[in-house]
Each structure stands twice: as structure tokens, then as C-alpha cells.
Amino acid sequence: MAETLASYYGDSVPGHALYAARCGSVLITTSVLTRTAWLDLACPLTFESDQLALSADGDTSREQVDAAAAVRRLTEAATHDVRIADVPLYRLTDVQVQPGTVGGKVSVVPFVEYALSVDLLERELLESLAAGRDQMPLRDRYLPDLPAVLDLQGRLCAGGVLALTAIARTADPYRGEADYLLLIQERSGHVLNAARRLAVIPKSFHAPLANHRADARIGATLRRELEEELFGRVDVDRTTGTQRAADPMHPSRLSAPMRWLTEQPGRLRMECTGFGFNLVSGNYEFASLVVIEDEEFWPRFGGDVEANWEAAGLRQYSTLDGDLISELIGDETWSNEGLFAFLQGLRRLAEIGGDRVQIPAVALCC
């Protein structure tokens, strides 16, 4: 996919490049368009540094929908039980990212507008690869070149927030020395994009839950998705299309694991590690890292950690098992954005994890 998109778009825009990295003898290339200033951000997702904001300007622009492609998408979704709910979705209209700070502007659009327009590009790309053809008429319409990808005012740029989750564990007589447990998901066939591919967890569309302004921050989406995708909160699942609670993330409604994590400073670290545009559908991607630093969490709540319907399976990896992690990096079933977030998370863990992290170095090649 990355090679096909690199060939389609040809010359790069000055200052931008497709995200690539090397781990040992393995060279990894992705379809994520990024730049040096957008990588290794080490940006704490706090009120001071997490500054993505809802735009005060109304947005009335709409993507032109290809009727035949849209009807086909809806028919296939109904046939294969893919969840599509017409809920609000953030559209990026401006981005200001640098080490230590993430910011920009978002507006709100209906999810179905995205699902029936630019999100169709992933399926078209896969079909063109399978058929060995070069024609991609939908891509020619929505994202014909890299300047169009970067034209946030002129197109619908939806996106995602996804994070590598690392959980500190004590030494164990059977497992070995103290480490971080890494969680990786195999996406189910019922999700709209990156179906049946590997991804970090949580992985979510950037979208409001109850408060359009407060929920625009990256950290708000991550906290919600931890609750939904790992801690069993079905009441914050936006695909149901209903939200009755005035404040779904009120402290009194939190799951036991999340309540414990937020009771004391230092138990939970959340950082943005990178930003880029995924050329598969033009989505913006905020790669992040979630680190549960307190070793007491896993003995206390490890049995409560369970993936939701979006995952077909959940894998465990130890940051002391460099060979297995190297093998995982080279797996061909990764989603592009998932691999981007995984590699950026590993680079940051290597900086902060001390002896808990013994993995091959991940060197950037972009």
C-alpha cells in the first residue's frame, strides 16, 4: 500500500516525507506523510500543552459524494454488520504541532459524510492492488496530489487518535525481570477501516462525546477510548448513536481501573509522540503513548482489561523480548497508522523506560 501510494503521489512536498524507520535489518515504510518537527514530540497531554480547539467559524462545505460508491458502501456495511453511526466527527482545519505542544483547529461534520466520501479511498486502493490496475477515480477526485492532502481548508480531513499502551509490571519468577506489557490488537471485521489488521490499542476516530469544545483535546479522546476499548465501558461507545449521560466521563461514572489511575498523580502518563497524514484516506493521525507507571495496576486490575467489539484478538508483548518485538515490527498485516504509532511509542519508551526496555533501536529514515 505504501509503495503504491508513493508511486501515485510522486514528488514530495518540501519539508515532508513518508514515515520510514529501520529496526535492525528491517526497513519499514508507511503511507503516513509527516515532517521532522512532527515526530518525537514528547508532548504531555495536559491542559497546557494539549491545545487542539473547536473553531468558532462555522463550516458549511461538504464533500461531493459519489452516489454509486456510497450505495455500495452502505450495502456492504449492512451485509457484513459493519457499524456506521451518523454521529459528530471532528474535521481538522488547521494544525500547529511542535515538540512539547500540539494545537490547531477543528470543526464538526457528520460521520456519514466522511464514511461515504474520502473513507472510500481505502477500499478503492485495496481493490486496485488486488486487480493490478492503476486507475483510482475516487482518489483522483478527493486527493489527487500532495498539495490537496495538505489543504485542510479545502477538503474534509477527519482523523484518529491512537496510542501504544504500556503497563509496568514487577519482576516475576516465571516471566523474568520488571518490564512493560505492550498490548496490540487485531482489528475485527466489523470496523469501518483497518479491518482485520494489526493496530495499537486504543485506536479511535477523533470525535466529541458530549462536550464539543472540551472533547476536542487529544487527551479527552484517549481517556474515553481507554474506558471503552480496554476497561469495558459500553456506555461511551459512540457507535450506538445514543448518549443520555450529561457527563459520561464524570469521576463517579469511571470504571474501577480508570478511577484508580486518576486518583493519584504519576500513575498514568499520556503523551503525543507524533503527527502525520495517512495517505490511505487522507486522515490526520495523532500517535500517542499511554504508560501505566504504577506496578500495582496489573496485579489489581489486569483481569479487568479486555478489548471490546472492535478487536478480534488482543496480543501481549514484553519490552524485554526484543526478538519477538522485532518480528512484530516486520509483520505485513499492520495498518499504516498503527505501525506509525507503535514505532513512535517504542522510540519514546526507549528514552523513559530504563532497564524495563530492551528492544532493538528504532531509527528514523525520513
Side-chain angles (χ1 to χ4, degrees):
M1 292 173 70
E3 290 173 357
T4 298
L5 290 170
S7 175
Y8 178 92
Y9 287 108
D11 294 338
S12 64
V13 174
H16 298 73
L18 293 180
Y19 182 84
R22 182 177 294 279
C23 180
S25 61
V26 180
L27 177 63
I28 305 100
T29 58
T30 74
S31 67
V32 176
L33 183 71
T34 188
R35 55 190 306 166
T36 302
W38 294 349
L39 299 176
D40 298 331
L41 298 175
C43 175
L45 294 175
T46 61
F47 183 82
E48 293 76 19
S49 54
D50 185 358
Q51 290 293 311
L52 208 62
L54 185 68
S55 174
D57 299 327
D59 178 39
T60 58
S61 63
R62 292 289 180 265
E63 287 288 2
Q64 294 297 314
V65 174
D66 183 285
V71 169
R72 183 183 171 198
R73 157 56 65 87
L74 291 173
T75 302
E76 290 178 349
T79 301
H80 300 291
D81 195 25
V82 173
R83 297 195 186 186
I84 298 179
D86 194 14
V87 293
L89 186 70
Y90 285 127
R91 167 187 176 175
L92 191 67
T93 58
D94 178 63
V95 64
Q96 303 293 329
V97 174
Q98 59 187 1
T101 306
V102 295
K105 300 292 184 181
V106 294
S107 60
V108 177
V109 296
F111 184 83
V112 166
E113 181 181 338
Y114 161 79
L116 300 183
S117 58
V118 290
D119 190 57
L120 299 174
L121 298 181
E122 180 179 4
R123 186 185 63 187
E124 181 186 61
L125 173 60
L126 293 172
E127 290 177 348
S128 69
L129 285 170
R133 63 172 186 264
D134 297 328
Q135 294 79 16
M136 291 186 282
L138 291 179
R139 185 168 297 276
D140 295 341
R141 171 190 289 191
Y142 294 125
L143 292 178
D145 51 36
L146 292 182
V149 173
L150 298 172
D151 181 16
L152 300 182
Q153 294 291 333
R155 72 178 184 92
L156 194 167
C157 183
V161 176
L162 64 169
L164 173 63
T165 296
I167 304 172
R169 299 188 295 188
T170 60
D172 182 271
Y174 301 100
R175 175 175 37 81
E177 298 301 316
D179 68 348
Y180 286 113
L181 166 68
L182 304 181
L183 296 177
I184 303 297
Q185 65 168 312
E186 303 170 43
R187 301 275 285 169
S188 81
H190 301 296
V191 295
L192 190 66
N193 55 25
R196 300 182 178 87
R197 292 188 174 273
L198 292 181
V200 294
I201 189 169
K203 168 179 163 55
S204 172
F205 282 105
H206 185 214
L209 182 60
N211 186 322
H212 285 196
R213 189 170 301 281
D215 291 345
R217 298 178 186 274
I218 302 303
T221 294
L222 271 186
R223 286 188 291 272
R224 180 190 76 216
E225 291 305 308
L226 282 171
E227 285 282 74
E228 179 192 345
E229 295 188 23
L230 287 177
F231 299 157
R233 285 280 303 280
V234 296
D235 60 314
V236 293
D237 184 349
R238 298 177 67 256
T239 64
T240 63
T242 60
Q243 181 52 249
R244 295 185 175 89
D247 186 359
M249 294 299 291
H250 189 276
S252 65
R253 300 180 66 91
L254 298 179
S255 65
M258 181 61 82
R259 186 178 298 114
W260 185 87
L261 286 171
T262 55
E263 281 176 347
Q264 292 185 16
R267 286 177 172 172
L268 179 66
R269 174 201 291 256
M270 296 196 306
E271 294 183 354
C272 184
T273 57
F275 174 81
F277 295 101
N278 190 347
L279 297 184
V280 171
S281 60
N283 286 3
Y284 64 91
E285 308 288 356
F286 281 99
S288 305
L289 175 67
V290 172
V291 184
I292 297 176
E293 301 278 15
D294 196 319
E295 293 178 337
E296 188 180 344
F297 175 86
W298 191 248
R300 183 185 289 247
F301 297 110
D304 296 325
V305 175
E306 182 177 349
N308 70 347
W309 65 270
E310 297 176 48
L314 202 58
R315 301 184 186 181
Q316 292 187 18
Y317 293 87
S318 168
T319 51
L320 297 180
D321 196 337
D323 291 340
L324 203 56
I325 288 179
S326 295
E327 182 180 319
L328 175 64
I329 289 172
D331 195 307
E332 292 289 339
T333 60
W334 275 102
S335 62
N336 279 281
E337 68 276 13
L339 187 54
F340 171 54
F342 183 59
L343 294 174
Q344 283 299 108
L346 289 180
R347 284 175 59 81
R348 181 60 175 154
L349 272 180
E351 293 177 348
I352 64 176
D355 293 339
R356 293 179 183 273
V357 181
Q358 298 179 22
I359 57 177
V362 177
L364 297 182
C365 300
C366 53

